[in-house]
Amino acid sequence: MTGRVQPTGGLVGRGLVKRYRRGVETVSALAGVDLRVDAGEFVALVGPSGSGKSTLLALLCGWETADEGELRYLGPLGDRRPETFGWRDLALVPQALGLVGDLSLADNVLLPARLRGTAGTEGPRARALLTDFGLAHLADRYPSQASLGEQQRAVVARALLLRPAVLLADEPTAHQDRGHADGLLDAVVEAARGGAAVLIATHDELAWARADRVLSMRDGVVTEGAPS
Ligand SMILES: Nc1ncnc2c1ncn2[C@@H]1O[C@H](COP(=O)(O)OP(=O)(O)OP(=O)(O)O)[C@@H](O)[C@H]1O
Ligand SMILES: [Mg+2]
């Protein structure tokens, strides 16, 4: 699928700290994270369970705010406040998926376009993504009538629909067999080649192999390169 290239994005984080407090206990989920993801780059974020990957993505997408540090978006996004970002600016594949339960898979995929009032023009791309991800025959099903892997592929299709400037995905191949995982990774690589800044948290070693760069996360800190 080729298509128009979006305005370039990307992001830089410096010294990002995020603490969660539970009563007297404090968890330093992020302990001073430095990272940069440029437009056109596919970066894989790897690290053990609990190392802070989802927390970092939550911060980068604006769901959480940092206790310390600085987060800047690059290019045209840098002139805007993150609260104003739409799916075309920044798209997220949450670890918990988050499909709308009373919309069909097709309508979930088309949702970002509906919110922009461009559902008519984006319809063919939504159908192409559903077909590419092996979901064409399930388009009218509700999420509760689809497998976890099928739901996850719909979530990735929803994120890719508007060719976002920044794509953040939290373990997007976690529920996939190898063939479907490779199909999703093809689409992620294509998004980066089309100019998106792509960061995916992943335990999938074949995803690291396809990334332009690998970042390792451990105990809330990010270092360049694959884990040793
Ligand atoms: N809301 C919260 N309150 C308290 N602690 C939290 C909260 N969210 C996350 N944590 C803690 O922060 C740390 C990082 O969690 P996070 O979900 O970012 O890890 P992760 O690397 O994404 O793990 P996984 O690979 O299992 O998805 C963990 O120790 C977790 O228990
Ligand atoms: Mg996680």
Side-chain angles (χ1 to χ4, degrees), residues 156-193:
V156 177
R158 178 180 65 181
L160 292 171
L161 181 73
L162 300 182
R163 296 188 168 86
V166 177
L167 173 66
L168 305 174
D170 204 345
E171 307 196 22
T173 62
H175 306 295
Q176 306 302 321
D177 58 63
R178 191 67 259 155
H180 283 113
D182 286 339
L184 292 180
L185 290 170
D186 288 344
V188 166
V189 169
E190 187 184 305
R193 296 299 159 259

Side-chain angles (χ1 to χ4, degrees), residues 74-112:
L74 306 173
L77 294 183
D79 302 328
R80 311 234 323 260
R81 293 206 317 277
E83 311 85 88
T84 70
F85 290 174
W87 285 91
R88 201 160 177 259
D89 306 308
L90 187 152
L92 179 71
V93 176
Q95 192 164 16
L97 304 184
L99 289 170
V100 180
D102 56 4
L103 292 181
S104 69
L105 293 187
D107 284 338
N108 266 285
V109 172
L110 209 47
L111 187 62

Side-chain angles (χ1 to χ4, degrees), residues 40 49 56 61 82 128 153 158 169 204 219:
S49 178
L56 180 58
C61 80
R153 300 203 295 282
R158 178 180 65 181
D204 179 355
D219 297 333

